[in-house]
Amino acid sequence: MKDTSIDIMDLRRRQDRTPERATRNVIDTGPEEKMETSDLRGDKLNIAILFFLYLLQGIPIGLTSAIPMLLQNRGATYKQQAEFSFAYWPFSLKLLWAPIVDSLYWNAFGRRKSWLIPTQYLIGLFMLILSQHVTQWLGGGGHPPNVQVLTAIFFSLNFLAATQDIAVDGWALTMLKRCNVGHASTCNSVGQTAGYFLGYVVFMALESTEFCNTYLRWEPAPEGFVTLPGFLWFWGIVFLVTTTMVAIFKRENIPSSTSRTINEPELNIKQSYALLLGILRMRPIQILGAILLSVKISFAASDAVSSLKLIDAGVPKDKLALLVVPLVPLQIILPLVISKYTTGPRPMNIYVKAIPYRLALGVVAAFVVWITPAFLTNGHFPVYYYIMLIINYGLYQITLYSMFVAVMAFFARISDPAVGGTYMTLLNTVSNLGGNWPSTVVLWLVDVLTWGRCNIPDTQSDNICDSQEKKDACAAAGGKCEIDIDGYYIECIICLIYGLIWYKWGKSKVAYLQRLPLKSWKIVEEKPDDTDSQSLLPNHNTVH
């Protein structure tokens, strides 16, 4: 359960990105290719390269997830957390520039390398520059964090990582033999997860003085094994060195017309954007988009704010990150188990059934946050408290994965196979955006909805502590800002009420979409006089 242990919002982002890559890699390629079995001879090095490229992609994503934890310990407001949350958005918007990456390139250098090499060099340079200034921008020691600069830098990092993602996804289809293309999805899911784990969990543990002194050192030291500047410098050098090696030693294969891996049509920029516009004009897509963009409001307070509230209550940030480790087996097994119930003609039934349970667990999350201070003894929490967090997190995972696997199965079912990669990427983009914008809004509203006052002993004060400046003034006067009404709990109530209303509305809409025939979702019109040809024209039966 993210809201009581780790920032599951970020985990969900990583999960939501995976299927669109996998779909590109398993598009129907015809009966002859279906019969081919995997043969890794000659492709082992290519698989290793793909794995490492995806691992590199996960590093900036993991670091982006670590920054809110560091900001929270340095007194950042929730409005500032909302501002920084925009750094996550590039992966939810990459469809806007994906056609450009796919269509413009320097053929002599390589279609994918034309984008991969510059973006990875820029990521490395950004990390090196960031390592020189990040301590100052994070604030601390009486200095406020410079959230605007941090947001701009990490937004740029994720923009570059998203662009690298587009290039690597495309390169995977030609780097591997046709019989091994299925391994590309494994490379990206395992590689990016490993990179995220290194950039977030491992960094948070090794940066923590308490964790290192307790578990890794014989003698206590004033800081952890690594610092954020040192971590950034190391990975910046790794990016520059490995990118240079790929640029010099790895040639890009150019597929011939007789050895294409996929059957999707090659589109130029104008055709790609026209295709996207045509999909968006379809009435079923508009209804599905309304569902995807609105459903996660129900869980936004729990997903985006709860973990930060736990840090406010004294739970160490490194322990929150590490609590995900014992649940890794659950995260691997759950999709396999749930997928058995989403393979039929009504995969979204599981999606709808999971919503009430996820709403209920959001209430449990708020209760856990509320009672957390009662468990704090001498600056430490007992073991059974962390066991409670793990149990709550595990239960929440079941509901989250049920919705995740169900909606991905529905996407795969309705996507027009003639343009499957573009179709799936569009649906994933809308789904990701539906999770990002509510999180940004609820983070911004926490401070707006919170009512507090400055308590100065033996003094009357009209300071309501509704801004960082007033909080600083209160502290300077020897007082302490005390919260009368916490905006987080107001948001939890609003989200719960909204979720119950949405459930009544959304259940009927989901049922309607599942009753539609598959031809209602097609965008490419097949020519009846030639079964092997298709027209990149809208199917007018589905455009309204």
Side-chain angles (χ1 to χ4, degrees), residues 28-58:
D28 186 357
T29 58
E32 293 183 1
E33 291 177 330
K34 284 182 180 178
M35 297 177 63
E36 290 187 277
T37 57
S38 177
D39 181 4
L40 297 181
R41 288 176 296 181
D43 260 353
K44 292 182 179 179
L45 178 60
N46 291 330
I47 289 175
I49 292 173
L50 281 177
F51 170 80
F52 192 70
L53 290 176
Y54 282 118
L55 183 146
L56 291 179
Q57 184 187 120

Side-chain angles (χ1 to χ4, degrees), residues 328-341:
V328 169
L330 179 67
Q331 296 166 0
I332 295 173
I333 295 172
L334 268 177
L336 300 177
V337 175
I338 297 170
S339 63
K340 296 180 181 180
Y341 302 96

